[in-house]
Amino acid sequence: MKNLSYARRTTNESLCLELIMNNQNLSRADLANLTGLTKATISVIVKKLIEDHLVLETGIGTSGNTGGRKPIILKYNGKAGLSISIDVGYNYINALLSYLDGEEIHFIQKKPIVLDEKTIKTYFSEIFASFEKKLPRTTYGVIGVVAAVHGPVFNGEIIFTPHHNVDQIAFREIIEEISDYPVYLENEANLSALGEYTFTSDSSSLISINMHSGIGAGIVINGKLQVGSHGFAGEIGHQIVVMDGKQCPCGNHGCLEMYAANKVCFEKFSKIKSMDYVNAVILREYYQNHDQDAQQIIQENVHYLSVGINNLIAHYDPEVIVLNSSLYREIPEIIQQLKQLLSNRFSNEVIVRNTALNEKATLLGGLVLNLQRFLNINQVKLSD
Ligand SMILES: [Zn+2]
């Protein structure tokens, strides 16, 4: 069992590996400087990491002004293994097989689909069968499977999934039945935040707000997900924005997601226009053709969301807020309106932007979680 031996990686090995992953052009001497460990200790650690195929030597750096021997540059070997991530939404499944540097090997999307425990089993079996056919040979093979859950998760267990057709879907049991890989469950907005943090940002704190049928946020500070004492940190869709407002499945009245979730916009618009189906693309067309109803629904959405984001900034003071919503992707100009509503003194420095990874953010976050577990590291920055 290779995985078990890697759970025992020493703290210093993990520290050096993390530094090599997060910095370009490090030499052994740089590692000694950064960690405070002796050059002899660094030599032993790097030798082990090279033998384990996690680090490569990639040529010669510059010797600097003082002359002397030119150092050998160390590089993380992102092709040493593979990762599988699966995102199960209320009417879709996205799945990604990738290398450990995020390079995509195979992406599968099933949408729109009706999901219950039985159909999920069938779809998962199909997905794993296609992945098995495409597995390249690597040192470690698949290091784990991360399933994104649209509901709070704590210590790897689902607390509830409010927007699925069944209360509790046994993702772990289903995956363990069809594969031998270690399985991890995590909230989808949390994974999205990890993906954005690692692949699109240099910042040390980032919040990703995911808007689909509900609204959730993932909070990452110095590479670590903030999950709270019970797994509810980032459940921003359940902050009350209207006193004694609409009843929410969570038990409160007036929660943000009862007013600002994408699903609310689409349902409102389909009711006004007597349409069977509305999505962000349809709403965008009406909005850009100056349809009054579309304009009003979107203005309302922007307004409610700005209240939610204002609260978030006051609590966490993040460097970056990333929006992951089909509505804001289709109509990016409304981000500017949103920013104008964030006019207090705390909001000036915060960057609010659309996701750069779209639906892949959650899946790449799954890879990051797999890496954190497998390599025993905290922070991963793999953006170029
Ligand atoms: Zn609620």
Side-chain angles (χ1 to χ4, degrees):
M1 287 289 287
K2 279 173 185 162
N3 288 336
L4 288 177
S5 68
Y6 283 88
R8 291 199 299 267
R9 189 165 293 288
T10 68
T11 311
N12 282 340
E13 280 171 29
S14 298
L15 175 65
C16 289
L17 183 57
E18 193 176 313
L19 285 166
I20 294 167
M21 290 173 92
N22 296 342
N23 295 280
Q24 310 264 335
N25 302 323
L26 282 192
S27 66
R28 286 171 175 79
D30 296 329
L31 277 179
N33 285 337
L34 288 166
T35 57
L37 297 167
T38 65
K39 284 184 182 169
T41 306
I42 292 292
S43 282
V44 173
I45 290 172
V46 169
K47 185 167 175 272
K48 174 87 171 23
L49 291 172
I50 290 172
E51 282 168 5
D52 290 346
H53 301 277
L54 292 169
V55 167
L56 302 168
E57 293 181 318
T58 64
I60 312 289
T62 51
S63 57
N65 298 333
T66 51
R69 211 152 50 112
K70 291 182 177 175
I72 293 166
I73 299 302
L74 302 169
K75 193 179 159 231
Y76 163 60
N77 178 18
K79 303 292 187 275
L82 307 163
S83 161
I84 292 176
S85 306
I86 306 181
D87 176 10
V88 188
Y90 73 102
N91 69 347
Y92 70 86
I93 299 177
N94 291 333
L96 177 71
L97 169 66
S98 73
Y99 285 105
L100 301 186
D101 54 6
E103 189 195 327
E104 180 176 320
I105 298 164
H106 195 36
F107 170 67
I108 297 173
Q109 181 168 63
K110 297 185 180 290
K111 182 188 176 179
I113 48 176
V114 177
L115 288 172
D116 55 38
E117 189 127 13
K118 193 162 161 260
T119 53
I120 284 181
K121 227 177 242 183
T122 312
Y123 285 125
F124 277 19
S125 300
E126 283 171 26
I127 288 166
F128 276 81
S130 334
F131 282 170
E132 291 295 334
K133 282 187 207 148
K134 293 184 188 280
L135 290 185
R137 282 178 72 89
T138 58
T139 306
Y140 297 109
V142 176
I143 63 168
V145 177
V146 172
V149 177
H150 290 236
V153 174
F154 190 55
N155 285 339
E157 298 302 327
I158 300 172
I159 301 171
F160 62 95
T161 48
H163 298 285
H164 279 297
N165 297 328
V166 287
D167 282 343
Q168 286 277 17
I169 294 176
F171 291 109
R172 183 189 303 285
E173 290 74 9
I174 295 172
I175 297 168
E176 283 174 347
E177 215 180 291
I178 53 178
S179 87
D180 292 328
Y181 309 127
V183 181
Y184 307 111
L185 305 182
E186 186 49 82
N187 171 269
E188 67 103 19
N190 283 354
L191 290 176
S192 210
L194 269 186
E196 295 283 350
Y197 181 87
T198 295
F199 287 96
T200 73
S201 157
D202 293 330
S203 60
S204 61
S205 61
L206 178 144
I207 295 180
S208 169
I209 302 179
N210 286 20
M211 288 169 274
H212 311 288
S213 50
I215 300 178
I219 302 153
V220 183
I221 297 173
N222 293 325
K224 285 203 127 178
L225 269 177
Q226 308 298 303
V227 295
S229 307
H230 312 93
F232 299 139
E235 286 296 327
I236 64 159
H238 301 287
Q239 58 177 298
I240 295 171
V241 293
V242 178
M243 211 187 281
D244 302 321
K246 291 182 201 171
Q247 187 167 11
C248 175
C250 79
N252 271 335
H253 288 82
C255 290
L256 177 67
E257 71 178 36
M258 302 308 293
Y259 298 87
N262 289 357
K263 200 176 161 195
V264 173
C265 279
F266 303 155
E267 283 175 0
K268 219 187 253 179
F269 195 69
S270 71
K271 201 171 162 197
I272 293 171
K273 300 288 189 197
S274 302
M275 293 163 75
D276 289 337
Y277 179 72
V278 172
N279 63 13
V281 177
I282 294 168
L283 198 53
R284 183 213 348 118
E285 281 168 9
Y286 279 86
Y287 180 83
Q288 287 174 342
N289 286 324
H290 309 289
D291 179 88
Q292 289 284 311
D293 298 320
Q295 304 252 338
Q296 199 193 329
I297 283 172
I298 286 168
Q299 291 309 322
E300 261 176 39
N301 182 280
V302 170
H303 201 169
Y304 279 117
L305 189 63
S306 75
V307 174
I309 291 182
N310 186 79
N311 292 343
L312 205 55
I313 291 172
H315 284 112
Y316 288 100
D317 185 23
E319 282 180 59
V320 181
I321 292 179
V322 176
L323 304 180
N324 200 334
S325 152
S326 57
L327 197 60
Y328 286 77
R329 277 206 297 275
E330 285 300 323
I331 319 176
E333 61 264 35
I334 56 179
I335 292 185
Q336 209 43 48
Q337 298 171 23
L338 181 72
K339 282 180 187 166
Q340 280 165 7
L341 294 170
L342 300 172
S343 53
N344 75 10
R345 289 165 187 224
F346 314 125
S347 317
N348 293 342
E349 304 292 324
V350 186
I351 297 165
V352 182
R353 62 165 169 86
N354 256 334
T355 169
L357 299 170
N358 300 329
E359 65 209 358
K360 300 265 174 75
T362 304
L363 299 171
L364 286 170
L367 159 66
V368 178
L369 190 69
N370 256 334
L371 283 174
Q372 288 178 328
R373 302 282 167 100
F374 185 66
L375 301 174
N376 188 26
I377 52 174
N378 290 319
Q379 174 153 243
V380 196
K381 288 279 188 189
L382 294 174
S383 53
D384 290 327

